[in-house]
Amino acid sequence: MFKHLTRLISYALKFRRIDKSYFTINIGKNIRLYYPGKVQHEGYLHLNDDNFIDARGGVDFGKNVILAPKVCILTYNHDYDNVDWVPYSPKIIMKGVEIGQDCWIGYDSLLLPGTKLGNNTVVAAKSVLKGSYPDNVLIAGNPAKVIKALEKSDDAKQYLIQKFGGIS
């Protein structure tokens, strides 16, 4: 328990050094974050309980990103093209993951290597993502597909301005 707690504290301090702000990352319980030095973020980032992030291939978070519990982000895979090496191929294939700003990633979703999410994207629970997705969409399924386009309304903008003193 103590070893896990000190690891989380060191990750939090590392993130604080990236952007010199004490309020840009929230860290839940039981997070597994490997290669934290390869994680970039532009602003507010919420890592929820039981998130698993292996960032050896690089993970770029935009501003205002929230991960629900049990979200998994992978940036590497074994090379399985040569059947002689399955399942222990010594060759590792790494591809970064990019998440745009103002994204919500739902419970128990999996982002595979090379995934790119556009801005203002919502990912439904238990979705499995691979590939590129545009801005302003709802994504769901296994494999994940765009379900519908999302719009920002003037009502939402007014609410944010009144509640938080502005929007970014």
Side-chain angles (χ1 to χ4, degrees), residues 93-114:
I93 299 170
M94 291 190 281
K95 294 181 183 175
V97 171
E98 297 176 21
I99 299 170
Q101 69 179 17
D102 302 317
C103 290
W104 163 255
I105 301 173
Y107 179 87
D108 202 19
S109 292
L110 171 61
L111 282 70
L112 294 170

Side-chain angles (χ1 to χ4, degrees), residues 32-105:
R32 300 288 187 258
L33 178 56
Y34 299 99
Y35 302 90
K38 294 192 175 191
V39 173
Q40 300 295 320
H41 71 104
E42 294 178 15
Y44 179 77
L45 173 61
H46 185 92
L47 302 178
N48 222 313
D49 298 346
D50 300 312
N51 289 154
F52 179 90
I53 302 170
D54 190 319
R56 71 180 79 187
V59 178
D60 293 330
F61 291 102
K63 185 170 48 172
N64 301 324
V65 174
I66 299 175
L67 276 59
K70 295 192 176 184
V71 169
C72 178
I73 299 175
L74 299 176
T75 62
Y76 77 98
N77 201 350
H78 294 278
D79 180 17
Y80 49 83
D81 287 336
N82 185 340
V83 73
D84 293 334
W85 284 102
V86 173
Y88 300 108
S89 173
K91 183 178 176 187
I92 300 291
I93 299 170
M94 291 190 281
K95 294 181 183 175
V97 171
E98 297 176 21
I99 299 170
Q101 69 179 17
D102 302 317
C103 290
W104 163 255
I105 301 173

Side-chain angles (χ1 to χ4, degrees), residues 11-19 25 33 39 41 45:
Y11 291 161
L13 293 174
K14 185 173 280 263
F15 276 115
R16 287 182 181 158
R17 275 187 251 128
I18 288 172
D19 63 0
I25 185 166
L33 178 56
V39 173
H41 71 104
L45 173 61

Side-chain angles (χ1 to χ4, degrees), residues 4 6 8 17 32-33 36 43-44 65 68-69 78 94 107 120 123-124 137-138 141 148 153:
H4 180 67
T6 54
L8 284 177
R17 275 187 251 128
R32 300 288 187 258
L33 178 56
Y44 179 77
V65 174
H78 294 278
M94 291 190 281
Y107 179 87
N120 308 306
V123 177
V137 293
L138 170 64
K148 71 176 193 172
S153 70

